[in-house]
Amino acid sequence: MPIVLIPAMLMTNSLSELASWRFAAAFVLVYLIFNFGDMINCLADRDLDAIYKTRLSNAVYRLGVENVRRQLWITCGAATVLCVVLAFGTGHWDLLPLVAVEILWAAQYSVPPLHFKRRGLWQVLTLVGIIFVLPMAIVARAFPGSPSWELLLLFVAYGAMQEGIILVNTAEDIPEDQEAGLRTSALVLGLSRSVAVGVAMVAVGGTVSAACLTAIGNPSWGLAVFVLSLAWVLWEMVSTWRAVRGRPLTEGMALLRPRARRMPLWITATGWGSLLAAGVVLAHQ
């Protein structure tokens, strides 16, 4: 919801715009894109997931591999049609390359030849792009006008902040990824450095996000809530880094995994804190 609503709120001067067909179309379009990315990732990892994520592997095989492939083509086709309709209705034809890059990049995260999931730090850049920056840009282009540079910078900063949290979750899978031969970003960095890089991304991304929100409008007390949520997440992540720093992998993983279970709370706190600040900006316009 924050990924869709933050750009929508900051691109309009009225809540009534959120009831428009353009916003509804953009919402469904982003949903289809995310669905496409999730399905192709499950399809590509169906044998690996049979060991560690049995539910996902079972879902693919019970539906049938060919059936999942058909669903991928149908989802991609529906997203393309919706994108054309939205571009025609708004006059923003740059939506076509935005959606094309998003779908292709999301596919190449999971499958060859690029397979960014296995390419070390490229995994981090890819996830920032396909989960946050491009979807937020697509929603922004569903509204009249063009996004300001502050808003575009906010998309990047918000994505960096959230990906920093996700990196802790990636680090949780280091032993399994190592065994499976997956060269993920966390495996390249190592356990302690993965958490340290995550802390840095959250700190810098959160600070820049706060600055961008202030430059765009007046977030007032909403910004205070966001900063408090950011401070709590940073405190949690820094304490996690201090706990695993210098530890052997087995010992460090035993300390990390109970803390990493709070990762969804961290993403929720920072995401909805950002959304609240964006809502206050809209309320003051």
Side-chain angles (χ1 to χ4, degrees):
M1 294 298 291
I3 291 170
V4 177
L5 286 174
I6 288 172
M9 286 183 169
L10 296 177
M11 281 296 295
T12 182
N13 293 316
S14 171
L15 276 175
S16 62
E17 280 289 318
L18 300 185
S20 67
W21 74 268
R22 292 187 300 273
F23 175 68
F27 187 98
V28 174
L29 177 57
V30 169
Y31 173 81
L32 289 173
I33 289 170
F34 278 14
N35 196 29
F36 174 86
D38 286 341
M39 281 196 294
I40 197 168
N41 188 56
C42 287
L43 181 65
D45 291 351
R46 61 189 182 275
D47 293 326
L48 176 64
D49 289 343
I51 304 173
Y52 301 110
K53 300 176 182 177
T54 308
R55 181 176 58 85
L56 299 180
S57 179
N58 287 344
V60 172
Y61 281 112
R62 287 175 181 172
L63 287 167
V65 171
E66 287 305 315
N67 187 25
V68 174
R69 288 194 177 114
R70 281 193 292 270
Q71 287 188 52
L72 279 169
W73 282 109
I74 292 169
T75 302
C76 186
T80 302
V81 170
L82 194 55
C83 175
V84 172
V85 171
L86 192 57
F88 183 81
T90 61
H92 294 165
W93 292 99
D94 54 326
L95 278 165
L96 299 180
L98 277 174
V99 171
V101 170
E102 167 72 9
I103 290 175
L104 289 172
W105 202 0
Q108 286 301 292
Y109 176 76
S110 301
V111 299
L114 299 179
H115 208 166
F116 288 113
K117 188 176 183 178
R118 295 173 176 259
R119 291 191 177 269
L121 295 180
W122 280 103
Q123 181 187 28
V124 173
L125 177 63
T126 298
L127 291 177
V128 171
I130 65 176
I131 298 178
F132 302 104
V133 178
L134 283 176
M136 294 176 91
I138 289 167
V139 174
R141 292 305 284 149
F143 289 85
S146 299
S148 63
W149 70 266
E150 294 94 343
L151 186 56
L152 293 174
L153 182 58
L154 173 63
F155 298 164
V156 176
Y158 179 85
M161 175 181 67
Q162 299 291 62
E163 173 56 24
I165 297 172
I166 293 172
L167 192 54
V168 176
N169 187 58
T170 308
E172 187 182 12
D173 296 330
I174 286 177
E176 291 84 357
D177 292 337
Q178 192 171 33
E179 183 182 339
L182 290 174
R183 191 171 176 268
T184 62
S185 53
L187 193 57
V188 169
L189 291 169
L191 178 57
S192 179
R193 280 189 294 179
S194 292
V195 181
V197 170
V199 169
M201 290 179 70
V202 172
V204 174
T207 301
V208 175
S209 293
C212 289
L213 286 164
T214 304
I216 292 168
N218 177 18
S220 66
W221 61 270
L223 185 65
V225 173
F226 168 60
V227 170
L228 284 173
S229 68
L230 179 66
W232 171 67
V233 170
L234 280 172
W235 182 82
E236 288 262 297
M237 292 183 67
V238 169
S239 66
T240 300
W241 172 70
R242 292 178 66 182
V244 304
R245 182 180 55 177
R247 306 274 187 178
L249 181 60
T250 303
E251 186 180 348
M253 294 305 301
L255 292 168
L256 174 73
R257 281 176 168 158
R259 297 166 183 260
R261 293 193 188 102
R262 297 197 289 273
M263 187 271 292
L265 291 176
W266 301 344
I267 282 187
T268 301
T270 51
W272 284 88
S274 304
L275 178 58
L276 176 63
V280 175
V281 169
L282 174 59
H284 284 161
Q285 288 178 351

